[in-house]
């Protein structure tokens, strides 16, 4: 295999096998991700046959995580995060601490050191956001209060793991390990280094929340005005990957967390739905590579070398973490249903676990068998997670109370539900207002309905609003054409040769000079308070080039106008209100 073809071979074989085994898994009534994991095992280094490039696979999987977290951010908002902070922050921190202690205790039974137990415990304490999102999406729970709590919980876990990745190299030797290769020891005290790290994360969050919503939507608006679909899609990917990469290298946060905040930045704008739709196919494709890459890390020999240890790790992930999370949620006085959903969400591990365990091996704290146990726990917990959610669904039905009766944690749950409902109503109102504005534009100017539906969003961005008072001269004969005018309200008079025509809301003028390249041949004067939507010369040319149907309609009307203007004047038409097709400007 030529070196140049390694990337192509890795992607092609991973997709082909993932498709094949994913389809078989679906026919067997199993989640397709089980097939993706099996495909990864088959192309991994521990099974015979083709071996994919593990480095490339992990990087491609990271792209999938970035895009998926970006998509989550698009459906989240800063308000959503603040709404669930009362349960997500104490819950996630408490669960990480207790699950890590369980991991230390388990490792002590195997005769491993406290340092080893700390790394493995942290690796087992953090769940995979990718797996959680797939599970919530399949059950239409991403926008539910319980789904919001679960996602917010994992965001807090991700933030905690960022700190763990910073502190582990600094404490490696103290825990009985060795200096990590490539890690430059800092002269700062540990406390100061921690403060610096927290300050960098806070600075990133502040920039993302305060400055991002002003800069990113403005940039995407400029791109959307071009009418180019591929350029808009490219801009969305540039925002997601660019912010993720920049945040990791400048502020030290993870790629996934940076991508999530990039989505949150964009969620407040009118482009969030279009950005989500454009990035969705890539999210799906690259998230498959994430599961394939997990399968590639698994060494099947661990199943007969240490079956008891694998089962112990799996029990800690599925039962230990879930029970801890459930107990914390009950202590915080939230409903049993919320506790069950969050518990099921945490009953698996993923991407951060692999990063932590790799760092532990580099520090000499974790033996290779520890890595195999963590990867094995990840593989089987991901496979079993759909069954855990199914069991939780059955439990929710068993504990459900008749309608109208009070339930445990009702006050907290209803308060959270009201907060999230207010946030959702604001988002829906903004989206509804945007749709109403677009529909009103299409109703007022039926010609624009010839534009394809997916491109109609860019119409509102391409138009420049302009107003005029009675007596204002909007267009002067002999001037160069600056744009095409659509009358949204008011009325104007068009003075051409010895004729005067009146145009009202729903009419347009100024297109003839743009089509012919000639100077204006008429004066247009406002006779009422007018509001115009102006399509500037450059936007007009781009818009007409991309929408030949509209151009043909405009050209046809322009020909009619030209013929009418050349016709002998008729006295009975003087000062008579006419349609927009009766005038040449």
């Amino acid at each position: 295999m030529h070196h140049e073809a390694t990337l192509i071979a890795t992607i092609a074989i991973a997709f082909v096998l993932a498709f094949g085994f994913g389809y078989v898994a679906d026919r067997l009534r199993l989640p397709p991700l089980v097939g993706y994991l099996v495909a990864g095992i088959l192309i991994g280094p521990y099974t015979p046959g083709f071996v994919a490039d593990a480095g490339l696979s992990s990087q491609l999987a990271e792209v999938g995580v970035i895009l998926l977290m970006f998509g989550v951010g698009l459906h989240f908002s800063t308000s959503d995060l603040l709404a669930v902070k009362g349960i997500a922050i104490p819950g996630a921190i408490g669960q990480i601490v207790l699950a890590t202690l369980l991991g230390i205790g388990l490792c002590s039974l195997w005769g491993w050191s406290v340092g080893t137990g700390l790394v493995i415990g942290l690796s087992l304490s953090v769940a995979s956001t990718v797996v959680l999102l797939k599970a919530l999406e399949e059950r239409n729970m991403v926008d539910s209060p319980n789904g919001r709590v679960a996602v917010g919980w994992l965001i807090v876990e991700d933030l905690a793991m960022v700190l763990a990745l910073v502190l582990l190299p600094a404490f490696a030797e103290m825990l009985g390990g060795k200096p990590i290769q490539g890690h430059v020891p800092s002269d700062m005290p540990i406390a100061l280094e921690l403060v610096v790290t927290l300050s960098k994360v806070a600075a990133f969050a502040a920039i993302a929340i305060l400055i991002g919503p002003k800069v990113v939507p403005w940039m995407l608006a400029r791109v959307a005005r071009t009418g180019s679909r591929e350029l808009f899609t490219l801009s969305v990917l540039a925002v997601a990957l660019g912010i993720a990469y920049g945040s990791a290298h400048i502020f030290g946060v993870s790629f996934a967390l940076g991508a999530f905040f990039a989505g949150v930045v964009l969620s407040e704008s009118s482009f969030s739905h279009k950005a989500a739709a454009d990035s969705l196919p890539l999210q799906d494709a690259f998230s498959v590579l994430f599961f394939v890459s997990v399968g590639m890390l698994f060494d099947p020999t661990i199943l007969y070398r240490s079956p008891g240890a694998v089962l112990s790790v799996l029990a800690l992930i599925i039962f230990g973490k879930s029970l801890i999370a459930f107990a914390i949620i009950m202590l915080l006085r939230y409903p049993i249903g919320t506790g069950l959903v969050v518990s099921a969400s945490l009953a698996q591990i993923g991407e951060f676990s692999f990063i932590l365990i790799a760092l532990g091996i580099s520090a000499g704290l974790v033996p290779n068998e520890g890595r195999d146990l963590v990867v094995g726990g990840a593989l089987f917990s991901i496979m079993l997670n759909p069954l855990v959610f199914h069991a939780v669904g059955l439990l929710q039905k068993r504990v459900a109370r008749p309608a109208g009766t009070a339930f445990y944690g009702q006050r907290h749950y209803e308060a959270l539900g009201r907060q999230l409902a207010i946030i959702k109503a604001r988002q829906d109102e903004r989206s509804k207002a945007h749709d109403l504005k677009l529909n009103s534009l299409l109703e007022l100017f039926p010609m624009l309905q010839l534009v394809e539906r997916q491109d109609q969003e860019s119409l509102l961005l391409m138009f420049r609003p302009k107003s005029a008072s009675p007596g204002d001269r909007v267009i002067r004969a002999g001037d160069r054409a600056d744009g095409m005018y659509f009358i949204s309200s008011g009325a104007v008079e068009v003075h051409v040769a010895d004729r005067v025509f009146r145009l009202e809301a729903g009419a347009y003028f100024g297109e003839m000079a743009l089509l012919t390249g000639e100077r204006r041949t008429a004066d247009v004067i406002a006779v009422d308070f007018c509001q115009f939507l102006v399509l500037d010369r450059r936007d007009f040319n781009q818009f007409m080039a991309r929408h030949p149907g509209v151009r043909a309609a405009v050209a046809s009307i322009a020909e009619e106008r030209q013929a009418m203007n050349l016709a002998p004047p008729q006295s009975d038409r003087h000062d008579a209100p006419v349609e927009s097709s009766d005038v040449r400007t």
Side-chain angles (χ1 to χ4, degrees), residues 403-414:
T405 60
F407 55 86
Y408 177 83
Q410 181 176 5
R411 182 170 61 85
H412 289 75
Y413 185 78
E414 289 180 347

Side-chain angles (χ1 to χ4, degrees), residues 136 139-150 341 413 420:
L136 294 179
R139 293 161 181 79
N140 295 320
M141 294 175 60
V142 175
D143 292 326
S144 68
N146 290 338
R148 295 291 190 186
V149 170
V341 171
Y413 185 78
L420 294 174

Side-chain angles (χ1 to χ4, degrees), residues 265-473:
V265 163
L266 195 53
S267 68
E268 302 292 342
S269 76
S270 58
F271 303 101
S272 58
H273 295 299
K274 183 173 175 58
D278 285 359
S279 60
L280 184 60
L282 287 172
Q283 288 178 30
D284 292 338
F286 280 96
S287 64
V288 168
L289 291 177
F290 166 78
F291 293 106
V292 172
S293 69
V294 173
M296 289 177 61
L297 296 172
F298 181 60
D299 182 2
T301 61
I302 192 68
L303 295 177
Y304 64 81
R305 284 192 286 114
S306 304
V310 173
L311 290 175
S312 299
V313 168
L314 193 59
L316 191 156
I317 295 170
I318 293 180
F319 298 106
K321 288 172 56 181
S322 299
L323 291 174
I324 290 171
F326 185 82
I328 291 174
I329 291 173
M330 293 298 99
L331 288 174
L332 292 173
R333 302 189 63 80
Y334 278 84
I336 294 176
T338 302
L340 291 173
V341 171
V342 174
S343 298
S345 303
L346 299 175
Q348 39 79 19
I349 59 175
E351 54 272 18
F352 263 114
S353 305
F354 308 139
I355 298 172
L356 280 167
I357 211 68
L359 195 61
I361 291 174
S362 300
L365 289 171
V366 179
N368 289 333
E369 185 177 359
R371 177 199 61 199
D372 294 338
L373 290 174
V374 170
V375 173
L379 183 77
F380 289 109
S381 65
I382 290 172
M383 282 185 171
L384 294 174
N385 197 244
L387 295 179
V388 174
F389 264 98
H390 179 69
V392 161
L394 295 178
L395 283 174
Q396 283 182 309
K397 293 179 181 178
R398 294 288 298 271
V399 301
R401 290 178 175 269
T405 60
F407 55 86
Y408 177 83
Q410 181 176 5
R411 182 170 61 85
H412 289 75
Y413 185 78
E414 289 180 347
L416 175 62
R418 285 193 296 269
Q419 282 183 280
L420 294 174
I422 292 172
I423 295 168
K424 180 91 165 45
R426 289 173 182 168
Q427 294 172 342
D428 290 344
E429 185 177 351
R430 187 174 64 242
S431 177
K432 185 178 180 180
H434 176 78
D435 292 341
L436 183 62
K437 188 175 180 181
L438 177 60
N439 292 333
S440 299
L441 179 69
L442 297 177
E443 290 178 5
L444 190 59
F445 306 108
M447 176 193 67
L448 299 179
Q449 295 179 13
L450 297 172
V451 178
E452 296 180 16
R453 183 64 188 176
Q454 60 267 30
D455 292 333
Q456 288 176 355
E457 290 287 333
S458 61
L459 284 173
L460 295 176
L461 300 169
M462 299 182 75
F463 285 122
R464 174 173 57 85
K466 185 175 181 180
S467 60
S469 300
D472 289 349
R473 192 180 298 272

